[in-house]
Amino acid sequence: MNIEHFLHNPTTNWMQEEGQYGDIVMSTRIRLARNLTDFRFPRAFSDEEAMQIDKAVSNVLIDADDEEEQHFQFSYFSLHDMPALQRKVLVEKHLISPQLADKERVGSVLLSKDESISVMINEEDHIRIQCLQPGLQLEKAYESADQIDRLLEHHLPYAFDDTFGYLTSCPTNTGTGLRASIMMHLPALTMTNQIGSLISTMPRLGMVVRGMYGEGTESVGNYYQISNQITLGKSEKDILLDLQSVTEQIIQKETEARTALIEHASIALADRLNRSLGTLLYARILTSEEAANCLSNVRLGIYLGIIQNIPIAVLNECMLYMQPGFLQQHAGTTLQPNERDVYRASLLRERLQCNRELKKGHSDEEGEDSYDV
């Protein structure tokens, strides 16, 4: 499958579905860090070593003869000669990390057809296995990652120590090499000024809060990534159970905050959410930050029943359409920041108005109540 399939598709299959607690939990991600013996870590290896690792890993996943191994149907892409804009789109779709996109040396990625699995080669470690699932599905995401992990370990010699576990470039990943992350939409906790105390509490629970694209990124549109901070001294099962427990507590707090907003500030809340919808439907200039905040408010309005006739799947598309890389990919040309703001407003306006009218028409045909701003 060529790269165009992954660049032009506005949503991935896992984004089109809605998993458990889908009103608050956007997605679950499992990432496993692995390295091969007899090779230096990517921070210090040579280009020749990088190419040997690349070939060894890709051969297992692409050229395997076993029927079970062929089931994954991976497509291989080298990032070395890939244009910067294409790499940016892959980052925005969460298919590769910003760190891999920025690498100047040999790096590549293998993507499954449905984009739920990606295997990054020569990022911070030799191998980064990533699996994504909609909603809160830690066990399912881990099972997929573990299947790929066992397949690779069957053919390749992993760097493993009986005392320390899997050896990694960064000591904070040593042990299980497991990073489990939950992408959460927490607008009510943000509106009620509770998000700060929540974030400060996380380290005491062995968790860390990051932005939408992981380490080194800030929260955009009230989306927060909650992940485990400890990989050494705990089993994979314990890490997943701890994150599941913390996530369910956050879900409860966000639900309570939403209920409180409805009970004590329903008119102000409805006004704020509908103003955001109005901005998206009629604005001619939209920065990425304003678009993200408006889309966040509309998402909250849909789940609270305040806003109707807009499918969640369309909002997921818009979250990607608003990103600088995908925006320019869609336009087919490089755009200056002010040009992107104009094009962003036009594109989101078109997508929302078109789907809103379509949804409203279906509702009217079925005799359902429709809602207008």
Side-chain angles (χ1 to χ4, degrees):
M1 192 161 289
N2 61 37
I3 190 64
E4 299 302 319
H5 166 80
F6 300 99
L7 294 177
H8 293 288
N9 183 13
T11 57
T12 59
N13 285 354
W14 63 267
M15 284 179 66
Q16 294 171 352
E17 302 175 9
E18 190 168 321
Q20 186 181 28
Y21 302 115
D23 58 330
I24 296 174
V25 179
M26 290 289 293
S27 64
T28 298
R29 186 198 74 173
I30 293 293
R31 191 210 70 197
L32 298 175
R34 300 289 186 258
N35 289 281
L36 306 183
T37 57
D38 301 326
F39 290 98
R40 289 173 290 181
F41 290 131
R43 295 173 186 265
F45 66 11
S46 64
D47 287 345
E48 182 180 354
E49 288 177 296
M51 288 187 287
Q52 290 177 19
I53 294 165
D54 188 289
K55 183 177 180 180
V57 175
S58 59
N59 281 350
V60 172
L61 297 178
I62 296 289
D63 301 329
D65 295 327
D66 188 275
E67 183 177 345
E68 180 183 356
E69 295 170 3
Q70 292 177 343
H71 169 72
F72 297 110
Q73 297 183 344
F74 283 105
S75 298
Y76 169 89
F77 303 103
S78 171
L79 299 182
H80 182 63
D81 298 319
M82 183 180 290
L85 180 58
Q86 292 186 355
R87 282 181 268 140
K88 189 171 184 63
V89 172
L90 295 181
V91 171
E92 292 172 353
K93 295 187 73 176
H94 300 277
L95 298 178
I96 65 173
S97 67
Q99 292 82 359
L100 183 62
D102 291 340
K103 286 183 74 71
E104 296 181 357
R105 301 176 68 182
V106 178
S108 59
V109 63
L110 294 117
L111 302 174
S112 65
K113 183 178 180 181
D114 66 356
E115 305 183 22
S116 65
I117 303 173
S118 63
V119 180
M120 292 174 277
I121 305 176
N122 294 330
E123 190 225 35
E124 185 178 74
D125 293 289
H126 297 153
I127 303 169
R128 287 283 178 94
I129 303 167
Q130 174 184 275
C131 293
L132 290 161
Q133 290 292 329
L136 182 57
Q137 299 191 76
L138 281 165
E139 186 174 344
K140 184 176 181 180
Y142 178 74
E143 286 175 357
S144 296
D146 185 55
Q147 192 174 8
I148 302 295
D149 186 36
R150 285 187 282 107
L151 169 60
L152 289 171
E153 192 167 21
H154 178 72
H155 293 277
L156 302 173
Y158 275 173
F160 183 85
D161 182 85
D162 290 337
T163 301
F164 295 106
Y166 293 102
L167 304 180
T168 56
S169 178
C170 180
T172 59
N173 291 319
T174 298
T176 60
L178 168 63
R179 291 286 182 183
S181 303
I182 306 296
M183 184 70 70
M184 307 189 73
H185 182 224
L186 306 174
L189 287 174
T190 304
M191 290 178 189
T192 56
N193 299 317
Q194 299 180 65
I195 197 69
S197 60
L198 175 68
I199 292 174
S200 63
T201 300
M202 289 295 103
R204 296 200 296 270
L205 301 175
M207 306 293 166
V208 64
V209 181
R210 296 189 171 103
M212 184 174 287
Y213 297 104
E215 188 172 357
T217 63
E218 296 180 355
S219 171
V220 176
N222 300 316
Y223 291 100
Y224 300 87
Q225 191 178 113
I226 317 296
S227 61
N228 65 295
Q229 198 170 27
I230 299 172
T231 62
L232 181 63
K234 280 189 174 183
S235 67
E236 290 86 348
K237 182 179 179 179
D238 287 339
I239 290 172
L240 298 181
L241 286 174
D242 287 347
L243 182 56
Q244 177 86 21
S245 176
V246 169
T247 301
E248 290 176 351
Q249 293 177 54
I250 297 174
I251 290 171
Q252 183 178 351
K253 289 182 179 297
E254 172 67 19
T255 301
E256 291 171 352
R258 294 183 183 189
T259 301
L261 284 172
I262 294 173
E263 291 179 351
H264 303 295
S266 59
I267 295 177
L269 177 65
D271 180 74
R272 176 172 180 169
L273 304 187
N274 278 300
R275 281 177 184 270
S276 291
L277 177 57
T279 298
L280 293 171
L281 290 174
Y282 300 109
R284 264 45 185 178
I285 299 175
L286 274 177
T287 65
S288 57
E289 182 179 0
E290 185 178 15
N293 289 330
C294 286
L295 287 169
S296 170
N297 285 338
V298 171
R299 182 182 297 274
L300 177 61
I302 291 172
Y303 280 117
L304 293 180
I306 294 173
I307 295 174
Q308 298 177 21
N309 297 326
I310 296 179
I312 286 294
V314 173
L315 285 191
N316 290 340
E317 286 185 15
C318 289
M319 282 297 295
L320 186 57
Y321 274 124
M322 60 159 276
Q323 303 294 337
F326 199 89
L327 197 69
Q328 294 174 92
Q329 178 75 24
H330 186 273
T333 185
T334 302
L335 300 172
Q336 296 301 314
N338 61 321
E339 294 175 321
R340 292 201 298 265
D341 292 346
V342 173
Y343 192 73
R344 179 182 295 109
S346 174
L347 186 57
L348 296 188
R349 191 169 64 245
E350 175 187 339
R351 295 296 299 163
L352 288 170
Q353 287 179 348
C354 177
N355 283 276
R356 186 166 173 265
E357 288 302 317
L358 180 63
K359 183 75 173 178
K360 184 177 184 295
H362 288 165
S363 298
D364 291 344
E365 290 174 7
E366 296 167 3
E368 297 178 0
D369 293 334
S370 60
Y371 186 94
D372 292 321
V373 180

